[in-house]
Amino acid sequence: MPPKLDPSVLNILYVRVNGGEVPGGAVLAPKCGPLGLAPKKVGDDIAAATKEWAGLKVTVKLSVLNRKADIEIVPSASALLIKSLKEPPRDRKKVKNIKHTGNMTLDDVYAVARKMRTKSMARKFQGTVKEILGTANSLGCTIDGQAPTAIQAKIDSGEIVTPEA
């Protein structure tokens, strides 16, 4: 039998959940049980914390210290882009294979890139913007009425100058 975990040590768990929904006990129990947390209570806390991300898959960071879980949402680039499209929340059980055909401004892309800058591997902010434009291309949305690949080409040619973060 493995040794008991020290409750005074900070443990960090990452769980990928649907926003606004309580994750199943079978998902949380193997992760929360050894730390002395009740999966049902953690699930309710996650559902309350992800209420504004309803219908989107987000990663939740659980920081567990002294059998208390602090919940922090770690959004992905695609979740931030879909949220900035201001689409109505969808029921994941009824609506499948959704196409995100909305339009957003270049300022929205800059805002998402600023949030994702810490996770980006690009050296400059321009590279992070291009990463976000690639994600927007895979979602199928447009930026200022143009394809994201066209905006990337304009950034490469110097036609569009990105701000310095």
Side-chain angles (χ1 to χ4, degrees):
M1 196 162 152
K4 281 199 146 239
L5 292 170
D6 186 12
S8 63
V9 175
L10 178 68
N11 290 304
I12 296 175
L13 302 173
Y14 288 96
V15 183
R16 186 116 166 120
V17 296
N18 288 305
E21 296 180 18
V22 178
V27 174
L28 292 176
K31 296 177 180 179
C32 297
L35 300 174
L37 297 172
K40 180 154 178 43
K41 183 184 178 311
V42 172
D44 292 339
D45 291 346
I46 289 173
T50 60
K51 193 64 79 187
E52 65 186 50
W53 296 89
L56 299 173
K57 275 198 155 243
V58 290
T59 305
V60 176
K61 177 182 175 183
L62 297 169
S63 302
V64 181
L65 183 66
N66 294 331
R67 294 183 58 185
K68 297 264 187 293
D70 293 327
I71 296 170
E72 179 185 339
I73 297 169
V74 185
S76 63
S78 58
L80 287 167
L81 285 171
I82 292 170
K83 192 172 180 187
S84 69
L85 283 171
K86 297 175 184 69
E87 292 181 346
R90 67 180 181 97
D91 185 8
R92 68 182 178 94
K93 292 181 180 150
K94 293 178 185 167
V95 183
K96 302 282 184 190
N97 301 327
I98 191 165
K99 296 281 183 218
H100 305 284
T101 56
N103 188 27
M104 64 175 53
T105 65
L106 198 55
D107 291 331
D108 291 339
V109 173
Y110 291 152
V112 171
R114 283 184 186 96
K115 288 179 187 169
M116 295 301 294
R117 184 70 181 122
T118 56
K119 292 170 85 175
S120 173
M121 300 299 273
R123 278 185 276 162
K124 296 180 182 170
F125 183 67
Q126 174 182 347
T128 306
V129 170
K130 288 171 65 178
E131 286 178 3
I132 300 302
L133 287 169
T135 306
N137 187 42
S138 70
L139 286 176
C141 61
T142 57
I143 286 80
D144 292 331
Q146 300 176 12
T149 51
I151 303 246
Q152 280 179 332
K154 287 181 180 180
I155 289 173
D156 286 337
S157 68
E159 216 172 307
I160 296 176
V161 179
T162 58
E164 290 297 319

